[in-house]
Amino acid sequence: MALFSLGGKKNPLTKEEMELAKTRDQASATLGRGMVDVKDIIAPPALQVEFDYIRVGELFYRTLFVSGYPRFVGANWLAPVINFDHTLDLAFYYYPVEAKGILDDLRRKIAEMEATVNGDLEKGRVVDPAVRIAMEDAQSLQEQLVAGIERFFQFSFYITIPAENLDELNNVTKQVESTLGALLIVTKHATLQQEAGFQTTLPTFTDKLLVTRNMDTTSLATTFPFTSSELTANEGIMYGINEHNGSLIVFDRFSLENANSVIFAKSGAGKSYLTKLEAVRSLMLGTEIIIIDPENEYKALCESIGGEYINFSVNTSSKINPFDLSGVFEEGENELGLKILSLHSLFRVILGNLTPTEDAILDRALITTYKLKGITPDPATQTKAPPVLEDLYEVLLNSAEPEARGMSERIEKFIKGSLSGIFDQQSTININNTFTVFSIRDMEDELRPVGMFVILDYIWTKIKKDRKRRLLLVDEAWYMMKHPDSASFIYSIAKRARKYYLGLTTVTQDVEDFLASDYGKAIVTNSSIQILLKQSSASIEQVVETFYLSEGERNLLLAADVGEGLFFAGNNHVAIRVQAAPHEHYLITSNPQELAAREDGSQT
């Protein structure tokens, strides 16, 4: 580009002068027709250089350089600048530096800081925390450079702001500085160097300001500017507000490789609120919703929208038979064999660990129990009425092995004892509503893991009969992680859900128990969407390790307000704020004060 420096002129060009310059250019082009250079065509009519800005043709420009950076940053931390609501020209320059020279400088600098700290301690003075933190960072960087984990670079960051007039330039500059200040980035005007700053941000790859900052490889990677913080799709439901740039997080979980999700949060952080909001909005798009509710949190919502609320306890008529078969034949799949494997897992939850002998006896007893009802591996027989728990009890009771009798005695309490009346009869329920909630609040604590397993197995059996778009929400999923067999079962659902057009959502507040299991970690891996809301300080380190969070993201989760956190979808993740409309909030809130006010009639 041809640049004509008019640095001596202190006042902007008048309109008449600009028109005169244009006329002169046109006349020159006419006289030298056939000899005009390309640079003469694309060059601006004039360039005016001032103290704190330059004017190129009709546009004004101001260049800022970054002189200070925050101590901790996360991936995509520059998103507010990249997504700024005004055109900006950003220039990043990366300069590799030889490690040997850096190591010598680091050793010298660490020695100086150690001497300063030791001197303060000897004199009884309080150690300057800034010196101590800088020394720890330098020692950590030294170790990583020596081990070859990190490399060293110098980094330059410049921003050129275009505007149509001087007032707009000043206003946008203030907005950019405020946005950067919120990120703890310190910027300065390239005073008396605006022409060099403008040329630095042109795509000519020439840094004429050379304002650099030392950075290691990890820090440098976070400056990569082409990571989108947008999670707005053409279809799907709105999960919340993107706190990076205020855009909407609209997503269709069924568009990913699987439709599974996990939600981790401490008690009171808004996980049930988010789950209910997702359920209501998905329902409006034709998705069938099935929920396992341990605390009756979904009852009011279910009744409000005309769903089916199924409560399990000794005194209710709702029963599930664990021996039910789907009656669906799939090529290459042994339905009876899969059901017997599932029942093995269930009885290990009920009876505890089984010896190899007991396991073999149980297997023979299950096959015999089905055979007595005329059910064999032949698919034609699998539509008959299935056995119930009492049938297995009778088979074990009449077996010759002493271990079989012992197992029948441990099962007896589910048939004749204190835990009878729920899972020892033929099924009396059917999933035929678009919004179905299974409540286990009234079950004994001892029975809850068994109840969740049986309900999940029943739901899975029904889902295989009829493929349709469904969401299965398992609240307080840590109950399932208590036993390896129930954990393995929910993991198998997570792996196979996509085949049946199902999205599994696991929700838990007990993050440590969930992630302590290898199955829990595998469920996270097999979930395309992960949502982390406010975390407790006791579990944050395990969350950081599992999700590879930066220090900034760790601090965000510790300081997050109710309904705030991180939303991971595929390879992208953003900070989210869950937002509901007033009528949605009325349906889904679990706030005790609001619910008490409604009961008193003071809130409608």
Side-chain angles (χ1 to χ4, degrees):
M1 178 182 292
L3 300 176
F4 302 93
S5 179
L6 303 177
K9 187 172 180 61
K10 300 301 180 185
N11 298 318
L13 293 176
T14 65
K15 186 176 180 181
E16 291 77 9
E17 290 173 323
M18 296 292 292
E19 291 295 328
L20 181 61
K22 289 181 181 178
T23 303
R24 188 186 305 119
D25 289 344
Q26 291 170 357
S28 299
T30 302
L31 290 172
R33 186 167 296 150
M35 301 176 63
V36 177
D37 191 89
V38 173
K39 290 185 288 186
D40 295 320
I41 297 173
I42 66 174
L47 185 148
Q48 175 185 346
V49 179
E50 289 292 343
F51 181 79
D52 194 30
Y53 67 89
I54 65 171
R55 182 177 180 183
V56 181
E58 299 287 345
L59 295 177
F60 294 77
Y61 296 89
R62 176 176 289 136
T63 299
L64 311 178
F65 62 85
V66 177
S67 60
Y69 296 82
R71 183 167 180 248
F72 291 115
V73 294
N76 207 25
W77 64 289
L78 289 173
V81 185
I82 296 168
N83 297 303
F84 191 77
D85 192 20
H86 185 87
T87 300
L88 300 177
D89 295 331
L90 308 180
F92 296 166
Y93 290 87
Y94 304 92
Y95 302 101
V97 179
E98 287 293 333
K100 185 180 183 308
I102 292 300
L103 286 171
D104 293 340
D105 292 341
L106 275 175
R107 277 193 291 269
R108 184 171 60 255
K109 194 65 179 176
I110 290 170
E112 292 174 1
M113 290 187 286
E114 286 177 340
T116 301
V117 170
N118 292 334
D120 287 342
L121 291 174
E122 289 174 1
K123 295 176 183 179
R125 292 199 295 259
V126 176
V127 176
D128 185 353
V131 175
R132 179 174 52 79
I133 291 172
M135 184 175 69
E136 291 173 358
D137 289 346
Q139 289 171 335
S140 174
L141 178 59
Q142 183 185 46
E143 292 175 4
Q144 292 172 331
L145 287 172
V146 171
I149 299 172
E150 297 282 2
R151 288 189 59 196
F152 209 73
F153 292 81
Q154 288 189 323
F155 173 64
S156 300
F157 180 16
Y158 309 105
I159 304 168
T160 293
I161 305 167
E164 294 183 355
N165 55 65
L166 195 54
D167 288 339
E168 182 187 3
L169 182 65
N170 292 332
N171 290 333
V172 175
T173 301
K174 290 179 182 178
Q175 294 173 22
V176 171
E177 289 175 329
S178 297
T179 301
L180 293 167
L183 298 172
L184 302 180
I185 298 174
V186 179
T187 57
K188 295 183 179 179
H189 296 210
T191 307
L192 296 175
Q193 291 183 290
Q194 288 294 329
E195 185 176 356
F198 177 76
Q199 294 174 350
T200 297
T201 54
L202 291 175
T204 56
F205 316 113
T206 305
D207 185 355
K208 296 194 173 185
L209 292 180
L210 289 173
V211 180
T212 61
R213 161 69 182 253
N214 295 330
M215 281 198 181
D216 57 21
T217 312
T218 302
S219 302
L220 208 63
T222 65
T223 66
F224 189 72
F226 305 114
T227 302
S228 173
S229 64
E230 297 284 346
L231 274 175
T232 300
N234 293 328
E235 55 186 18
I237 66 166
M238 179 184 139
Y239 284 87
I241 307 296
N242 184 338
E243 294 201 296
H244 289 308
N245 53 24
S247 63
L248 303 180
I249 298 177
V250 178
F251 215 77
D252 178 13
R253 57 195 288 179
F254 288 91
S255 67
L256 297 171
E257 60 269 21
N258 65 65
N260 301 331
S261 73
V262 293
I263 301 176
F264 292 152
K266 66 182 292 187
S267 179
K271 62 184 184 304
S272 295
Y273 190 93
L274 170 60
T275 306
K276 288 185 234 179
L277 188 62
E278 181 187 24
V280 169
R281 291 175 175 173
S282 299
L283 186 66
M284 291 188 294
L285 296 181
T287 305
E288 187 175 297
I289 309 298
I290 305 171
I291 300 171
I292 298 180
D293 179 12
E295 299 297 339
N296 278 18
E297 290 188 87
Y298 299 82
K299 184 175 182 179
L301 172 62
C302 184
E303 292 175 348
S304 299
I305 62 177
E308 183 176 4
Y309 193 80
I310 303 171
N311 186 29
F312 286 94
S313 68
V314 175
N315 301 320
T316 62
S317 60
S318 302
K319 311 295 178 187
I320 288 182
N321 181 11
F323 291 80
D324 281 344
L325 293 164
S326 69
V328 177
F329 173 73
E330 294 189 29
E331 189 68 34
E333 198 170 89
N334 182 356
E335 172 69 12
L336 181 60
L338 291 174
K339 171 55 72 172
I340 289 176
L341 287 175
S342 172
L343 288 170
H344 270 281
S345 298
L346 171 61
F347 283 106
R348 277 194 287 267
V349 175
I350 292 174
L351 304 175
N353 292 329
L354 300 177
T355 65
T357 301
E358 289 175 330
D359 203 46
I361 292 170
L362 177 62
D363 190 66
R364 288 196 298 271
L366 288 170
I367 294 172
T368 302
T369 302
Y370 275 103
K371 190 177 291 184
L372 290 173
K373 292 292 183 178
I375 299 174
T376 67
D378 181 3
T381 67
Q382 294 172 10
T383 57
K384 296 180 179 180
V388 294
L389 187 58
E390 188 172 358
D391 296 321
L392 175 65
Y393 169 75
E394 295 291 343
V395 170
L396 289 170
L397 191 63
N398 295 317
S399 297
E401 298 93 338
E403 293 89 351
R405 190 170 186 84
M407 292 168 67
S408 68
E409 290 172 354
R410 287 147 71 186
I411 291 175
E412 187 172 341
K413 64 181 177 180
F414 291 91
I415 300 166
K416 302 177 181 179
S418 58
L419 301 179
S420 64
I422 301 177
F423 305 121
D424 57 341
Q425 301 177 31
Q426 294 290 356
S427 298
T428 60
I429 63 173
N430 194 15
I431 301 175
N432 51 21
N433 196 297
T434 55
F435 194 97
T436 307
V437 178
F438 294 86
S439 170
I440 58 172
R441 189 190 68 170
D442 297 331
M443 284 186 179
E444 299 291 334
D445 287 344
E446 181 185 353
L447 199 57
R448 280 197 176 189
V450 178
M452 290 184 79
F453 188 106
V454 172
I455 292 169
L456 271 174
D457 186 52
Y458 171 80
I459 293 169
W460 183 242
T461 300
K462 295 300 179 184
I463 283 171
K464 290 167 67 176
K465 282 187 176 181
D466 181 21
R467 265 189 195 88
K468 62 170 68 172
R469 183 172 164 130
R470 290 186 177 97
L471 288 183
L472 171 58
L473 281 59
V474 183
D475 207 344
E476 301 301 349
W478 61 272
Y479 278 114
M480 300 291 289
M481 297 297 118
K482 284 184 172 182
H483 303 275
D485 291 282
S486 57
S488 171
F489 180 69
I490 196 170
Y491 168 60
S492 70
I493 292 178
K495 281 201 308 182
R496 302 172 65 198
R498 182 179 179 275
K499 180 180 177 182
Y500 298 99
Y501 207 10
L502 173 71
L504 172 68
T505 298
T506 46
V507 186
T508 185
Q509 67 181 25
D510 203 326
V511 178
E512 289 181 287
D513 277 358
F514 193 91
L515 294 179
S517 163
D518 289 337
Y519 289 113
K521 293 177 182 176
I523 290 170
V524 172
T525 304
N526 278 272
S527 299
S528 295
I529 292 180
Q530 297 119 18
I531 302 174
L532 307 177
L533 301 180
K534 185 178 179 68
Q535 301 293 318
S536 68
S537 55
S539 61
I540 188 64
E541 297 306 329
Q542 198 163 10
V543 173
V544 168
E545 182 181 348
T546 302
F547 292 91
Y548 304 102
L549 302 182
S550 68
E551 189 70 21
E553 290 167 334
R554 175 186 183 275
N555 295 336
L556 184 152
L557 292 179
L558 287 173
D561 202 351
V562 176
E564 292 182 341
L566 296 173
F567 182 93
F568 294 74
N571 295 323
N572 296 323
H573 67 277
V574 296
I576 186 175
R577 183 176 75 255
V578 179
Q579 189 82 43
H583 64 280
E584 292 174 320
H585 176 80
Y586 184 84
L587 289 174
I588 66 179
T589 182
S590 302
N591 188 314
Q593 293 177 334
E594 293 184 22
L595 297 178
R598 283 183 205 168
E599 291 173 1
D600 294 341
S602 58
Q603 180 179 339
T604 58

